[in-house]
Amino acid sequence: MSRTQQAIQEFENTIQEKMRAFEAFLSIPSVSSDPAKKASMLDAANYLKTYFEGIGMDAAAVYPTDLHPVVFAEKRACKPDAKTVLIYGHYDVQPPDPLDAWTTPAFEPNVRGDYLYARGASDMKGQIVSVIFALESVLKTGDLPVNVKFILEGEEEIGSPHFESFVRDNADLLECDIILNPDAGMIDKDHPTIVNGLRGLVYFEVRVDGPKADLHSGLFGGNIANPANELAKIIAQLHNPDGSVAIPGFYDRVRVMSDEERREIARIPSSEEEFLAVTGSPALYGEQGYTILERQGVRPTLDVNGLYSGYIGEGSKTIIPAYAFAKISCRLVPYQQYAEIYDLAEKYIRSLVPPTVKVSFIKHSGGPYYFADDAPGLENLVQAFKDTWQKDVIFKREGGSIPVATVMQEILGVKSILTGVSLPDDAIHSPNEHLHLPTWHKGVQAYIRFLTSFDA
Ligand SMILES: [Zn+2]
């Protein structure tokens, strides 16, 4: 039996006790947003530390931060020149509310059919233990060919407020060649998936001021510019008729997709009907010349996220509103720079404002795009997934963002492999969150293959 097969066999042989350990971890209500659960957060961190000690890690420690602690663990490889894999995870979970919507209580793990139900089963305690169990089985059956480190934070669900400073303060401890982040997921249970790009963001607010107070529209309407009308005209000029963004220079740095990339994206199953069913919208909309998934992951966008002006109470009130404002954000793609896009947007919008009103801007937030089709260790994981699922890996661009990956790239200089074995219908952040156990099982096997792949 091969080295890898021995480790996989070891996992199969011990699955019962591993499930008990997993369920004990899920039973700890580590809700990071709830101040009343502070002790549970520490319990969950200590649970991990104790488990790491039990499987023979060289180091396992709980590091305090200003809020919830970070768990770090490390196991050195059998050879001195081995590469180092850092595994990122978060042990905090979303609040379980609404409680009465759960079939069985959120922190009493329950297996029904192929599914394990509990808060955190999929996002992401199940993802964390899949890698820990893989490592455990590798350690029990022979030498470890790669250094393994874990960084498990307790604040992901509240925006990781102390993650960046922790990574900065502990950059030496976290030094690595490869980063594995299993907090993404699969497109469906038959397709192992790696996310190789995320969109960036720039968010700002435009305020248009007219008269010093709301005016009687009968006395002043027609002579005084209406800020709501003017803002609407401005917004109408932010897009071209073909659905593209009209800000000059907006697309200047956008990376052009290769034909191969477009073919790769086209392999991902998606349908117009599904998109419409999920959203309830009457018809699709979008930039001409691109598919749904290209628009979602590879093309930048601009959207009004909030709009306010004048009287919005019941009935009617005949006024010229004093002001109007819009919250606007752009999803950005490689190689757009968020600070530059903000400047271009502000300049363009200012050029659209008539002298009858005044405009001002509030800059909210910005974050860079992420592009990692060359993350180190990628080939090892691709092969491990292929060997486990007997299917080619799907590479996916995601529309949202994963700030921790950007933070680690900036500070540690290593791009993350974004993956995981959660499924789109796991109900993460919702009642009855669950994990598809057969898929999770395959995930452990794949991570065993990944860890032993560094043998050569
Ligand atoms: Zn997560």
Side-chain angles (χ1 to χ4, degrees), residues 178-423:
I178 294 160
I179 298 175
L180 178 69
N181 178 342
D183 198 21
M186 300 170 64
I187 57 160
D188 60 44
K189 66 180 169 51
D190 299 319
H191 294 90
T193 309
I194 292 174
V195 174
N196 64 359
L198 303 164
R199 290 197 290 188
L201 181 78
V202 63
Y203 202 120
F204 56 94
E205 213 165 303
V206 182
R207 179 178 171 126
V208 173
D209 278 279
K212 62 186 178 190
D214 290 354
L215 299 177
H216 188 295
S217 65
L219 294 178
F220 297 100
N223 274 315
I224 296 296
N226 181 323
N229 296 5
E230 297 310 321
L231 180 58
K233 286 184 213 162
I234 292 168
I235 291 169
Q237 294 175 76
L238 296 178
H239 287 91
N240 295 310
D242 66 358
S244 63
V245 176
I247 297 169
F250 188 78
Y251 293 96
D252 281 3
R253 289 186 200 268
V254 172
R255 186 180 159 277
V256 178
M257 272 183 292
S258 67
D259 291 345
E260 194 195 327
E261 261 177 284
R262 297 192 82 164
R263 276 196 298 275
E264 185 67 35
I265 293 168
R267 284 176 58 214
I268 303 172
S270 81
S271 80
E272 203 167 304
E273 294 71 38
E274 200 182 300
F275 242 76
L276 292 178
V278 167
T279 58
S281 294
L284 275 180
Y285 155 89
E287 191 183 359
Q288 275 168 33
Y290 297 94
T291 66
I292 296 175
L293 291 174
E294 287 172 350
R295 289 180 197 142
Q296 187 188 51
V298 194
R299 297 298 293 171
T301 57
L302 180 148
D303 279 292
V304 174
N305 305 116
L307 198 53
Y308 174 79
S309 183
Y311 180 69
I312 55 166
E314 240 178 90
S316 57
K317 188 181 183 207
T318 44
I319 55 160
I320 307 290
Y323 60 86
F325 66 76
K327 290 174 186 284
I328 296 178
S329 68
C330 301
R331 294 284 177 175
L332 306 177
V333 301
Y335 302 105
Q336 286 177 304
Q337 303 296 317
Y338 64 89
E340 182 181 68
I341 294 297
Y342 173 80
D343 290 343
L344 292 173
E346 180 178 336
K347 192 174 157 203
Y348 177 58
I349 290 170
R350 282 190 189 284
S351 77
L352 303 175
V353 179
T356 50
V357 290
K358 288 170 286 186
V359 70
S360 55
F361 290 78
I362 305 167
K363 204 167 170 175
H364 282 296
S365 57
Y369 64 82
Y370 189 76
F371 189 49
D373 62 343
D374 55 351
L378 202 62
E379 307 90 79
N380 298 63
L381 188 66
V382 166
Q383 193 58 48
F385 276 153
K386 267 189 190 170
D387 292 346
T388 306
W389 266 268
Q390 304 294 323
K391 288 256 171 66
D392 278 340
V393 170
I394 296 268
F395 286 96
K396 189 183 172 224
R397 299 287 200 86
E398 221 148 72
S401 50
I402 300 185
V404 294
T406 314
V407 163
M408 290 191 287
Q409 185 186 351
E410 272 169 24
I411 301 171
L412 305 175
V414 181
K415 290 183 182 180
S416 298
I417 306 171
L418 304 171
T419 187
V421 293
S422 61
L423 297 175

Side-chain angles (χ1 to χ4, degrees), residues 64-77:
T65 73
D66 284 342
L67 189 55
H68 300 307
V70 172
V71 180
F72 175 81
E74 176 174 22
K75 180 73 185 175
R76 281 182 290 278

